Amino acid sequence: MSVVAAFVYRDGHRVREASLSEGGLKLEPDEFVWIGLLEPQEAELRTLQRRFGLHPLAVEDALSAHQLPKIEVYGGELFVVALTARMVDGEIEYGETHVFVGPDYIVTVRHGSSRGHAEVRSQLEVSPALLKHGSDYVLHAILDFVVDGYRPIVDEAEEALLRMEQRALDAFLSREEIRELFQLRRGLLRFERVLDPMEEVAGRLERLDLPCIDAEVRPYFRDVRDHVSRVNSRVGALRETLASVFEVANLLEQQRQGAI
């Protein structure tokens, strides 16, 4: 099984490794299990579906791995989709994290994401006062981790755009530089299509009375929503700056041709 980690927790402390064989996972009333999978096979997810009663539609979504951020409620279970992102050679690459949340379990399924959750798990395990909240607080920590990965993308895009802006003022943009600007514009447009639903997901977790989300944990999701909102605002500002760079480059080119 493509299990990255699977542990049982009680009162915020790891107590044992979870056995995921058929009928092997037994939980006490005050325990929950956190299972992380990386690009699992269908049979592996079906095993967990039978053990935890995961909804078939959510399992199908997790297997297809072509989703935008969303949150679905299936009875007493939550299913959340978040998109990870990173900048590679000037282009934004995406991965998916699917999260099943129940009263005594949280199952994460990652597709195409190079950022594992070992760092999140380590941070939570040294803070048992937070981890003792259970699966809903783990969901918050995972979403916060995903959103933290958005900021370096905006920082790198800003640096690239500032270089282009200075280049447009100092000289004339080459065909390759124009192509790079269009590539950046296209990437930011797609990024906005990810940020908007991510902000909505965090907002629903903060405001709505949802299964598996305790009232004392809901305010934590406000931080996630605020982080997404700030990134979204920066992306909007970048697109406006990008448009002005195009305009300046065009005006300077027209001036050069007029002088000739």
Side-chain angles (χ1 to χ4, degrees):
M1 182 173 281
S2 54
V3 179
V4 178
F7 296 101
V8 176
Y9 296 87
R10 183 191 306 126
D11 293 327
H13 298 278
R14 183 198 293 189
V15 293
R16 64 183 180 279
E17 190 168 358
S19 171
L20 302 185
S21 60
E22 291 281 2
L25 179 58
K26 305 294 184 182
L27 296 174
E28 298 298 325
D30 58 346
E31 295 177 339
F32 79 95
V33 62
W34 178 2
I35 302 169
L37 304 176
L38 175 62
E39 298 180 356
Q41 299 296 316
E42 180 175 357
E44 296 170 340
L45 264 184
R46 297 299 181 190
T47 299
L48 295 180
Q49 179 183 1
R50 289 190 292 272
R51 169 59 183 83
F52 296 111
L54 306 180
H55 197 279
L57 292 178
V59 172
E60 291 298 329
D61 282 347
L63 287 171
S64 64
H66 293 290
Q67 307 290 323
L68 282 174
K70 67 176 183 178
I71 180 170
E72 302 284 356
V73 179
Y74 297 104
E77 168 195 322
L78 281 182
F79 177 66
V80 179
V81 178
L83 262 63
T84 58
R86 62 174 184 155
M87 188 77 84
V88 180
D89 297 330
E91 294 193 22
I92 304 175
E93 290 187 353
Y94 296 93
E96 292 185 30
T97 298
H98 301 230
V99 190
F100 299 86
V101 186
D104 59 355
Y105 65 86
I106 179 164
V107 178
T108 60
V109 180
R110 291 191 294 121
H111 292 276
S113 173
S114 62
R115 300 181 72 216
H117 298 149
E119 178 184 341
V120 181
R121 191 182 293 268
S122 297
Q123 290 174 351
L124 289 178
E125 287 182 350
V126 297
S127 303
L130 296 175
L131 188 54
K132 72 185 297 183
H133 284 296
S135 58
D136 49 358
Y137 190 82
V138 175
L139 172 64
H140 155 264
I142 290 171
L143 293 182
D144 193 50
F145 176 73
V146 168
V147 170
D148 279 346
Y150 294 164
R151 286 179 290 186
I153 295 173
V154 182
D155 292 340
E156 188 170 338
E158 281 182 345
E159 290 298 322
L161 189 52
L162 287 173
R163 288 195 301 269
M164 289 293 184
E165 186 177 43
Q166 190 60 50
R167 172 67 178 165
L169 293 173
D170 293 342
F172 298 102
L173 296 180
S174 65
R175 180 179 295 272
E176 178 61 26
E177 289 168 331
I178 293 293
R179 187 197 66 80
E180 187 178 342
L181 279 177
F182 273 106
Q183 177 180 302
L184 181 58
R185 177 179 178 272
R186 187 167 55 246
L188 291 176
L189 282 170
R190 185 183 178 194
F191 195 26
E192 282 185 317
R193 291 199 294 269
V194 170
L195 293 172
D196 287 340
M198 273 296 293
E199 188 172 350
E200 181 182 351
V201 166
R204 290 185 63 188
L205 287 164
E206 174 200 352
R207 297 188 306 269
L208 301 184
D209 184 12
L210 297 171
C212 307
I213 307 296
D214 291 338
E216 63 268 25
V217 174
R218 279 163 50 187
Y220 287 101
F221 292 102
R222 183 182 306 120
D223 286 338
V224 178
R225 180 178 57 79
D226 288 345
H227 292 165
V228 181
S229 179
R230 284 196 290 271
V231 171
N232 212 353
S233 297
R234 291 178 65 189
V235 170
L238 277 177
R239 289 209 302 111
E240 291 180 4
T241 303
L242 195 150
S244 70
V245 172
F246 274 121
E247 184 178 354
V248 167
N250 185 51
L251 288 173
L252 291 176
E253 178 64 19
Q254 289 177 7
Q255 185 182 48
R256 183 182 71 89
Q257 291 179 358
I260 292 173

